[in-house]
Amino acid sequence: MRDLDPALVRLLDEDVTVRRETVGDVDTSALPGRYALRQALLADEDAEVRATAAQRLGGTRDSRFTQALLDALSDPMPLVRDRAWRALARLGAKALLSQAVRAVREEPVWWVRRAVVRASASVAGAGALEVLLGALEDPFWRVRHAAVQALAWIGAGDAEVQERVRRWAESVSHGPVRSAVAWLEAAWSEARPTHGGAPLAMELHPLAETSQGGALSGAVAATERAPLAETSRGGEPPDTKQPPLVELPSGQLPSLERGDSLGNEDPAVTTARLEATPASTLSARELVEWLGDPHEPLRHLARRRLRERKDPEALLLAMRWLDEPRVPHAAEEARTLLERIDVEDVELASRILEGTPRPGAVAWASRVAVRRGHAGLVERVRLLLRHPEPALRRAALSGLVYDPDSLDEVLEALEDPDETVREEVLAAWQRRPPAQSTAEAFALALAAFAPRASTARERRAVAMAAVFLEDAELLFHAARDEDPAVRAVALRALSTLDLLTEAEREEAATHEDPWLRAAVLDAASAPRACMEDPDPTLRRTALELLRAWRRHTGDTANLLTAVLACTHAPDPWLRARAAELLAPSRSREELRALLRLSLDAAPMIRAAAASSLESCDTLDALLDDLLHGPTPEPDEDLRTSAWTWRLRLADASAFDQLRTALLANTEPARVVSHLDALTLVFPDELLASEPALALRRPTRAPQQRTPAPPRPAVPPRASSRPLGTTGLHVSPLVLSGAHLTSTQPFFEAHEAGLTTFFWEPRYAALTQFLQNRRQQRSGLVVVAGSYHSGPSALRRDVESALRRLRTSWLDVFLLFWVRSPERLSDEDFTALEQLRTEGKLRAFGFSTHLRDLARDALTRHPWPVVMTRHSAAHPGPEASFLPEAHARGTGVLTFTATCYGRLLQPAPGTPPDAVLPTAVDCYRYSLSQPGVSACLTAPRSRRELHHNLEVLARPYLEPDALPAMRVHGERVRARSRQLDSLVRRAPGGPRDALLALLEEDGPPDAGDLSSP
C-alpha cells in the first residue's frame, strides 16, 4: 500500500483539536497537500480549520485554487471570509474584484470589509477605485482608514486617480467622503519619501512586497494581525479602552425628533434612562436608531420598547435597517423585531408595496404575501420583477421562489441581466423543489440558460440540471469546464451513464485533481484507488464504493485484496471500515487481519474488529485451529490476540484451555506472560482448584519512587505596587484574558510574578484559571466591571461576577468605558460604596478615555481607582490627570500603552536609523509616570505574553530613554490627530447611516413620527 502523508490523514480526524493543529503542518510544496487544504477549506465543519486552510492556500501562490477561495467568500463565518480575501490577494487574483464591489457594501463584518478593501487594492491598484471609493462611505472608521491608506499610495503621483477621487467627493452629499478626501489631499501634497526613502504609503501602513497584481500586497500581509482589534504584541483589551468600533461625532448629538432625547454619550446611561421610560412616550426614530448601537443591552431594550409600542410606523422605519448591512446587529435586530411584533402583517405588507419600495421591506412583504397566500399582494410583488432597480427585483424574487403559482415568473428571472437576481433562482434550484414537475421545470429552464451561464455558480447549477435531465450534450460540455467542481459533476454523471470512452475515463482517473479522479471511480478502479491514491479522502470514497458494491452484488472475492490492504492503511478510518468488511469464517487471512486489528491503538478500530469477531458463531473453533491446528499461527502478536479471544468468557471451558496451555509449556515466553496476565480475569474459585496456576497470577510490583524533576528557575519577581490608598497591591502588569484561550499562559504569568488579572465573563480561559486558584485567592487581584448604569444593574453585575468566579468578593470593580459625567452619578457611587461596605468589593472605580472627565469626577467623589488611556502618543494625562490622582491617593491603571501598535511603527519624520520602541518599552514608559500603579496588557499569544513579562523584572524606563520616547510619541500623535479628525471621527456610524436611509426619498410617509 502506498504511503500517505500523515498530516493529510490527521486533517480528517474526528477531533477538531487535532485538525486545528494539523492544518498548519500540511506540506504545501506537494500537490496532495494543497488539494487536502482545498477540501478542508470547503468541507471542514470547524471555522478555524477552514480559515487556516484559506491562509495556507494563499501562501502557495498557486492560481489553481483561486475558485475554491472565491467560493469561501460566501462562508458563513467571517473569520474564513477574511482569510479568503487575504489569500486571494496573495494569489493576485483579479477575479475577486467583481465580488469586492458588492462585498464592500453588503459584507456585514467591518474587519472583513477592511480585508476586501486591502485585497482589492493589492491586486488591482487603480483598477480597484470603485471598491475604494465605496469604502470611503463606510460607517466604520477602520474601513475608511484602509481605503484612504490604499488611495494615498495609489494616487501619489497619479493625477488621473486624484481627479477621479475629487469628482467622487463632489458627487456625494452625505457621509465621511469629503473629509477623507481632505486627508488624502494633504497626504498627496506631502513629499513622497519621508522615512528612509520609503514612499508615503510606507508611513501609513507596512506595504512591503508587491503581488502579481502590482500593488499593496504588503497591506494584506500587515492584516495578519487578528481582525477584531488592531493591537500590537502588547495589545490591550478592546472592550475597555479602544474607541468604539462605530464612531459617533463627539459632543452631544442632536435629537432626531422634536422633544427631549434620552440619548447620552454613554450608552449605559441611555439604557438606564430607557429602562425607566414608558414605551408610549418614546421617540420611534431614536428607538430605531438604537437597534444599531454597539451596546447590546441598549439594542435589546430598544427592540423590546418598539415591540411594546405595536406601532406600524415604527416598523416601517426599522425596516430601513434591512438595507444597511454594514452596521452590525441592526438588520438582525430589525428582523427579530419583525418576527415577534404583534401587528397585522398583511396590512403592513400592503402599505410597503403601495409606497416607495425599499429592498429590505419588499423582501419581507414578498414573503408575507406568499406565506399568507394573498393573491393581490403576490401580484403586486410580481410587478416588481420588472422594476429597473436590481435590488428590488431580487427582493421580490426572494419570496416568489416559494410560490408554486409564480414558477414561470421565477424561471424567467434566469434571463435577468443582473447576477444577484439570477442568484435567487439558483438558490431555489439548489434547495431542490419537492415536486418532481417543479424540479423538472427548473432543470429545463437551466438547460436553456446554459449558453449564458457565466459564473461558476451558474455553471454548476446547469451541470446539476444536466444530471437531472441526463442531457448528454450538456454533460459533455460541462466536462470541459474550467471549474473542477463543474467537471467533476459532469464526469460522474457521464461515468454512471457509461458514456465515457476509455481514454476519457483514463484521463480523469489519472488527473492531478482528486475531485476528477473520484468522479470516475467504479468497482473496477476502486480497489486500486483505496490502496494507492495520494488523497486520503478519495481512498475513503473508494472503500465506501466497494462496501456499497458488496451489498448490492454480494461478491466479496474481488474486493478482498483491497480490504486486506486497507487493514494496514495509515488512516484509522480505513482500518475500521475494513474491519467491518471482514468475516473470520471466510478465510484465515481475514481472521488473522481481525485479530491484528483488535490490538490496534485506535478504539474505533478495536471496536469494529470486535464486532466482526463477536458476530462469528464458529469463532472458538477457528481460534482453536489457528492455535493448535495442523499449521499453528507462528506470529506471537496474533497468538496473543487469539488467546485473548479464546478465553474471553472466563468460564470453566476457557479455564481448561488456559490450564492446558500453561502446563504444556509449549507457548513462546511472550505468549506465556500474556496467559499469566489473563489469569486475572478468572474467578478466584477456579484458580483455587489449581494452586500451581494461582501462584502464577501476577501481583502488583512495588512502586519505586523516582525523584521529581527539578522545577524550572522562577524569573525575577517584580515588587508589587500600591493601588493608591485602596490597601491593595498590584503587579506592574495587569493581564487581560481577552485573547488567551487556554489556562497555561495564566499559570506561567503568575509563576513569573504577575498577580493582577483583568476579567470579563466571556474570558473563558481566565475564568477557569481563577476558579482553579480560588484556594489561593488572597494572592491574586482581579479587576472586573460593568457596562451598565444604575444601582440595581451594578448590583446584578457584581453578584453575577461573584457567582462566575466562585468567590465572595471582587478586588476591583470598574464602570467600563465611561463616556459622560452622568455615568458617574451620585447614585452609582453610593451603590458601589454600599457594595464595598458589604464586603463584596475591596475597591471600585471607572475606566475612561476622557482624562478631563476623569479629573472632574475626582473633584465630585473620592473614586478609589481610575483606569485611563495613556502612552507616549497620548501623554495628556501626565499634566492634566495623573498629578491630581496622585495627590488624592487614587489608584491609576493605564491601557493602550502601545497606542494600538502605532508606537511600534515608524512615523513621518522618524530618522531612518532610529531604533523603534518595543511593547515592553511602551509599558515601561507608562509605568514610569508618578501615580501609575499598573498597566494593562492583552497579548494574543504565549509568545507575546513572554515578551511582555520582561516588564516585571524592570517596570520603569531609564531616565535617559524618556525624551526619545516622547519625541517618537509626538510624531505618532501628529499623524493620528490628522487621521482622527478627517477619517476616524468624520461623519459615520449608526446615526448617520440611518439618517442617510431616511433622507434617500424625502421624509417618511407619516411625517416626523412623533410620539403619541
Side-chain angles (χ1 to χ4, degrees), residues 429 432 439-440 442-448 450 458-479 486 489-491 493-494 497 499:
W429 162 247
R432 287 297 187 278
E440 185 174 359
F442 265 88
L444 290 170
L446 284 166
E458 291 173 349
R459 299 197 306 275
R460 291 173 191 175
V462 168
M464 292 305 299
V467 173
F468 182 88
L469 298 171
E470 297 186 355
D471 187 323
E473 183 179 354
L474 276 180
L475 289 172
F476 277 116
H477 184 269
V486 175
V489 168
L491 286 170
L494 290 170
L497 297 172
L499 295 176

Side-chain angles (χ1 to χ4, degrees), residues 548-556:
W549 182 61
R550 190 194 73 165
R551 287 194 300 268
H552 180 67
T553 64
D555 184 5
T556 59

